[in-house]
């Protein structure tokens, strides 16, 4: 069984999707062994506790800079013998050395169809505000590996979700979470743990 670390900064809805998938036997050969929060008191830690998963706070505010935080996070995850890192609403920046230390072992879910509405400044409701301002008819979610470029890593899975007339950023965010994010993230984690993802440059192939 591979050890999965989930990194969080907020309520943990994507974490809950992973917990539910694991309980339902939908994550092959993997288990969530630790949840690491970048802020104390976030509800994601309560979700971890309720599921019997170790929760650790590694607060960004306790470190002088990105490098110091990244080093501490790398040390912690290696001590926990982490095989896969999942960013589930993790809003803290790490450095290039951290991403290289876990190359093709960090995955993130982004609430848009990359390469649209992604990169620096595109997070949370900002993504959906931008999509609605552009007048797109379809948005969605992307699960991708994390590299040194913000939202620039190899794409694992994507799913389109319709934008409806009268949508607000909040209603579009909710639809994308329910119809895409909460489905794609557990699926991608299961594919990784089953050894079915092959990365060649920017292209991810799903092996049969």
């Amino acid at each position: 069984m591979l050890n999965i670390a989930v990194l969080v900064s907020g309520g943990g809805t994507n974490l809950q999707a992973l917990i539910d998938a694991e309980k339902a036997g939908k994550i092959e050969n993997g288990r969530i062994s630790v949840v690491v929060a970048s802020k104390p008191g976030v509800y994601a830690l309560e979700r971890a506790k309720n599921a019997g998963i170790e929760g650790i706070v590694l607060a960004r505010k306790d470190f002088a800079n990105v490098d110091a935080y990244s080093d501490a996070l790398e040390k912690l995850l290696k001590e926990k013998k982490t095989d896969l890192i999942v960013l589930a609403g993790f809003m803290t920046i790490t450095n290039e050395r951290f991403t290289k230390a876990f190359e093709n072992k960090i995955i993130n879910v982004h609430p848009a169809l990359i390469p649209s509405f992604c990169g620096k400044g595109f997070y949370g409701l900002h993504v959906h505000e931008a999509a609605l301002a552009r007048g797109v008819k379809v948005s969605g979610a992307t699960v991708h590996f994390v590299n040194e470029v913000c939202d620039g890593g190899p794409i694992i899975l994507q799913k389109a979700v319709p934008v409806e007339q009268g949508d607000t950023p909040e209603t579009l965010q909710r639809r994308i979470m329910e119809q895409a994010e909460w489905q794609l993230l557990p699926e991608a984690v299961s594919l990784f743990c089953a050894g079915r993802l092959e990365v060649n440059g920017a292209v991810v192939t799903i092996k049969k």
Side-chain angles (χ1 to χ4, degrees):
M1 295 285 281
L2 299 188
N3 289 320
I4 304 164
V6 183
L7 276 49
V8 299
S9 296
T13 54
N14 282 320
L15 167 64
Q16 190 64 53
L18 291 170
I19 290 170
D20 293 345
E22 183 182 335
K23 283 186 176 179
K26 294 180 180 177
I27 296 179
E28 185 180 343
N29 195 44
R31 67 181 188 93
I32 304 169
S33 56
V34 67
V35 172
V36 182
S38 63
K39 296 188 293 186
V42 296
Y43 189 65
L45 290 170
E46 191 68 22
R47 293 181 191 273
K49 181 180 177 183
N50 292 340
I53 301 166
E54 181 183 14
I56 297 173
V57 176
L58 192 68
R60 173 64 182 86
K61 64 181 178 60
D62 293 340
F63 296 84
N65 52 50
V66 171
D67 288 342
Y69 185 80
S70 298
D71 287 348
L73 185 58
E74 179 183 341
K75 182 173 182 288
L76 170 63
L77 294 173
K78 286 182 174 177
E79 286 174 352
K80 294 295 178 182
K81 296 181 170 54
T82 303
D83 299 298
L84 173 65
I85 300 163
V86 180
L87 308 186
F90 187 66
M91 304 304 293
T92 301
I93 295 169
T94 55
N95 62 17
E96 186 174 340
R97 187 168 64 244
F98 178 83
T99 57
K100 286 192 179 302
F102 298 99
E103 188 173 8
N104 294 334
K105 293 182 179 180
I106 310 171
I107 67 173
N108 179 54
V109 59
H110 181 74
L113 295 173
I114 291 173
S116 296
F117 310 113
C118 66
K120 189 175 181 181
F122 285 98
Y123 61 90
L125 284 176
H126 297 298
V127 178
H128 308 296
E129 289 166 356
L132 292 174
R134 185 62 184 84
V136 299
K137 307 308 179 190
V138 173
S139 190
T142 303
V143 179
H144 62 96
F145 283 111
V146 174
N147 62 12
E148 67 278 4
V149 179
C150 183
D151 296 328
I155 291 170
I156 301 169
L157 295 170
Q158 289 185 301
K159 185 178 181 182
V161 175
V163 178
E164 298 179 1
Q165 289 194 96
D167 261 338
T168 65
E170 290 80 9
T171 61
L172 182 57
Q173 179 186 53
R174 185 71 187 182
R175 188 179 309 114
I176 289 173
M177 285 194 296
E178 290 177 347
Q179 295 184 16
E181 293 183 48
W182 298 345
Q183 298 173 25
L184 292 186
L185 189 58
E187 183 182 352
V189 168
S190 183
L191 288 169
F192 179 96
C193 292
R196 292 181 56 198
L197 299 179
E198 186 175 291
V199 184
N200 293 294
V203 178
V204 177
T205 302
I206 299 174
K207 296 184 287 187
K208 300 295 184 184

